[in-house]
Every structure is written in structure tokens, then in C-alpha cells.
Amino acid sequence: EVQLQASGGGMVQPGGSLRLSCATAKFPFGDYAIGWIRQAPGKEAEEVSCIDLSRDGRTWYADFAKGRFTISAENAKKTVYLQMTSVSVEDTAVYYCAIDQSCSGYGPAQYDQWGQGTLVTVSS
């Protein structure tokens, strides 16, 4: 069974930074794409970013993430990161990592399996 575990969430002030981690197990890490999805209270889930480990680490970002968030992968640890900078209160959400065949940017529904999320709260 595929394992995905997000961590690194917490409370951060507006303008601050945070790094989320997605530890993975029980699937060929280099054969899939790993994405970050978030869901704010009372809102629909939205795709944040994706890295395609099977295609030279190609990345995709939602417009709101471009220039502020960076997705990366550490193959030896089978872990994907989401570095968040210049965060705002609008970034408050539960962040999930999920697995898919590729990064298509078609939204959360494309992902085959999600892990448990980690809560990010941006507040002064």
C-alpha cells in the first residue's frame, strides 16, 4: 500500500516561511509524480504544485504559488518538499501530498491517492 505522510505544518506569521515534507514509501519513488494539494476551511481543495519524478523532475505550480513556493525532491530520502515563502492568511489550509502518473495541472481529482495532511495556519 502506497504511503504518503505530510508534515511540517504549523503556525507562521504573514510574510514568513515554512517547509512542508512528504515522506513516501512502498512505491517506486522515481516512477511517479507527487503533488501538493490544499484545502482551506469551507473551501474546495485546490492543487498547489507538482513534481514529476519520472520526467526529470518537471514541475508545475498553481498561479498563486508561482514565485512564492518551491517544490523539490530528495531521492535518497524518498521525500518531496514544499518550501513556502511570503505566506499570507490566504495560504491557511490543510496541505496534503498525493501521487499521480504525471503532473497535468488538472486539479486534485486527478490524483490517485492522498496522504494525511498537515495544517498550516498563517496568522499574526
Side-chain angles (χ1 to χ4, degrees):
E1 181 181 350
V2 168
Q3 294 183 356
L4 301 153
Q5 180 63 58
S7 63
M11 183 168 288
V12 59
Q13 292 186 340
S17 299
L18 202 63
R19 189 178 79 161
L20 306 183
S21 299
C22 175
T24 73
K26 299 189 177 181
F27 68 94
F29 186 69
D31 290 355
Y32 291 90
I34 304 295
W36 286 96
I37 299 160
R38 71 183 187 182
Q39 187 163 24
K43 296 186 178 180
E44 294 187 355
E46 57 184 352
E47 190 177 10
V48 178
S49 183
C50 180
I51 185 167
D52 195 333
L53 301 170
S54 68
R55 292 176 175 81
D56 299 324
R58 296 177 190 180
T59 58
W60 176 91
Y61 293 93
D63 286 344
F64 64 79
K66 291 178 181 177
R68 298 191 303 128
F69 297 177
T70 303
I71 192 169
S72 62
E74 187 171 357
N75 291 344
K77 294 186 176 181
K78 297 186 178 182
T79 299
V80 172
Y81 303 99
L82 184 70
Q83 179 69 49
M84 303 169 61
T85 63
S86 302
V87 297
S88 69
V89 293
E90 288 75 25
D91 296 317
T92 295
V94 177
Y95 285 72
Y96 303 86
C97 55
I99 186 172
D100 196 14
Q101 299 295 322
S102 66
C103 296
S104 65
Y106 291 156
Q110 74 182 30
Y111 288 88
D112 298 323
Q113 187 166 336
W114 299 25
Q116 293 194 350
T118 186
L119 175 63
V120 173
T121 303
V122 183
S123 175
S124 56

